Amino acid sequence: MDLNPMHQFEVYKIGPEINLNGINISFTNASLFMTISSILILALLFLGTKKKLLIPSKAQLITEMTYTFVAKMINDTAGSSAKDFFPFIFTLFMFVLFCNMVGMIPYSFTVTSHIIVTFVLASIVFIGVTIIGFVKHGIKYLELFVPKGVPFVLLPLIIIIEVISYLSRPVSLSVRLFANMMAGHTMMKVFGGFVISLGLLGGWLPLGFSVALTGLEILVAFLQAYVFAILTCIYLNDALNLHH
Amino acid sequence: MKDFKEITTRLKIAKKNIKKIEDKDEGSNAASLGKALKISTELVASVVVGSIIGFLLDNWFGTKPLLIISFFFMGVAAGILNVFRSAKRMN
């Protein structure tokens, strides 16, 4: 029995090692669970939109609910001008949500508990939003770093602070998701280990905690996907409408 | 035809019930918890990013301890600014 709580985060190869110009792109368990999540999303959306009934089936209901949920979120936080970016934000939300939820199944692997995965997702958002801002506003996008009504003397300091705060966006976006997922899963494994080491006599208390933590983790899994998507909307709003 | 009528009345009742629930809790609990979780990392991230920028610039210009210290404090300022902004956005 492996009681090491960090063992669940180990990445290992499945199948042969593939090298492309010296870069190792072998198929790992992380890639496997990303593929599983993507297939599940596609299956749900395919089932949900196959038969368009007046009284929806369960799959159709879930699909329609996720659609309205994301559409409402974009409309509330980024305005109607962000409607064009619905496909991207919907994909991002569903991918993070399904990766988190698939990770909740015992013996599975949580892709989002690795900072490289979340950092790449956050970088895509960050670079994309910056490009959108410059395309939409040109050089005027730099006004984002110059708040109105600041005395001229303080301007250099304020600009540096604003630039740091802008650059910290991908870091906070990725670290939040990664830290929440990793901490939660480690905690669950630690409590699971307590159950075994305390045995029949004292193991019931950590077992109860484990059950409660599982519920909490499912909430966190949903919440972090939601936060990830809503922050993307907020950053998009900054880029499209150019104010804080 | 009878089916259709039945569905319409049932829809009406369901819509009424949904409206009742929506009136009850303004702003769901999950959304506010998400906002609370968001703030904590925002402060830390800015400090880390500020310090890294300071460290890199120090190595570049060869002014070893000066820039990392000043950029650390600017990172703290940026973090507080970020927290302040997201708190303001909640209202």
Side-chain angles (χ1 to χ4, degrees):
Chain A
M1 177 120 322
D2 203 341
L3 287 177
N4 182 0
M6 298 317 252
H7 181 255
Q8 55 177 326
F9 301 120
E10 213 168 277
V11 177
Y12 50 85
K13 281 199 297 286
I14 298 173
E17 189 170 315
I18 308 161
N19 263 309
L20 191 78
N21 285 337
I23 303 165
N24 190 351
I25 51 161
S26 316
F27 195 79
T28 59
N29 54 346
S31 355
L32 176 68
F33 279 97
M34 276 189 225
T35 318
I36 289 174
S37 309
S38 312
I39 289 171
L40 281 177
I41 296 168
L42 286 176
L44 173 72
L45 294 182
F46 180 71
L47 276 176
T49 51
K50 201 169 64 171
K51 279 184 276 171
K52 295 170 196 75
L53 302 165
L54 186 61
I55 306 170
S57 62
K58 271 176 193 149
Q60 192 185 342
L61 196 66
I62 295 170
T63 314
E64 283 173 0
M65 269 168 69
T66 44
Y67 177 88
T68 43
F69 180 73
V70 177
K72 194 167 171 285
M73 178 168 73
I74 295 171
N75 212 23
D76 288 352
T77 47
S80 52
S81 54
K83 272 272 153 67
D84 302 341
F85 301 99
F86 175 83
F88 174 68
I89 291 167
F90 186 76
T91 314
L92 200 65
F93 173 72
M94 289 299 264
F95 184 68
V96 175
L97 180 68
F98 270 70
C99 284
N100 290 352
M101 286 299 184
V102 165
M104 286 306 298
I105 301 166
Y107 295 104
S108 70
F109 176 84
T110 321
V111 183
T112 43
S113 65
H114 282 262
I115 192 153
I116 187 65
V117 176
T118 58
F119 192 72
V120 166
L121 287 175
S123 303
I124 293 169
V125 171
F126 178 73
I127 294 167
V129 161
T130 311
I131 290 171
I132 288 165
F134 274 114
V135 166
K136 194 130 201 271
H137 301 282
I139 203 77
K140 271 182 81 184
Y141 185 59
L142 292 176
E143 275 177 23
L144 194 71
F145 302 123
V146 190
K148 286 192 186 78
V150 175
F152 193 72
V153 192
L154 278 175
L155 217 52
L157 192 67
I158 292 289
I159 288 173
I160 293 173
I161 289 174
E162 288 284 351
V163 170
I164 292 174
S165 117
Y166 190 75
L167 289 177
S168 76
R169 281 172 174 190
V171 177
S172 72
L173 199 58
S174 55
V175 166
R176 181 179 310 116
L177 178 60
F178 144 77
N180 271 290
M181 295 320 289
M182 200 184 86
H185 282 265
T186 311
M187 209 150 73
M188 269 174 31
K189 194 74 188 269
V190 167
F191 274 99
F194 282 162
V195 176
I196 292 166
S197 52
L198 289 177
L200 259 181
L201 271 173
W204 298 100
L205 189 68
L207 186 66
F209 270 119
S210 272
V211 173
L213 272 178
T214 309
L216 182 74
E217 271 313 294
I218 288 173
L219 174 72
V220 167
F222 169 75
L223 219 56
Q224 288 306 319
Y226 172 71
V227 168
F228 202 94
I230 208 163
L231 278 175
T232 309
C233 290
I234 290 171
Y235 297 156
L236 203 58
N237 182 38
D238 279 353
L240 289 173
N241 302 324
L242 205 59
H243 56 72
H244 296 296
Chain B
M1 206 58 213
K2 199 187 156 204
D3 263 5
F4 186 70
K5 253 187 186 169
E6 199 189 312
I7 290 166
T8 343
T9 43
R10 272 168 69 183
L11 256 180
K12 259 185 200 162
I13 294 166
K15 268 184 188 161
K16 229 184 241 169
N17 283 339
I18 287 174
K19 220 182 173 189
K20 252 186 224 159
I21 295 165
E22 271 178 355
D23 287 344
K24 230 184 255 170
D25 57 347
E26 275 184 35
S28 61
N29 274 326
S32 35
L33 187 60
K35 281 169 187 164
L37 283 171
K38 194 182 95 186
I39 287 187
S40 51
T41 35
E42 220 134 275
L43 184 68
V44 182
S46 295
V47 177
V48 171
V49 168
S51 309
I52 290 172
I53 292 172
F55 181 75
L56 292 177
L57 288 181
D58 257 344
N59 273 351
W60 197 13
F61 296 125
T63 49
K64 202 67 198 188
L66 265 177
L67 286 175
I68 192 164
I69 293 169
S70 49
F71 269 84
F72 170 80
F73 284 110
M74 278 187 245
V76 173
I80 293 169
L81 189 74
N82 272 344
V83 169
F84 185 74
R85 265 194 199 131
S86 39
K88 219 163 121 189
R89 209 179 272 128
M90 280 179 201
N91 290 329

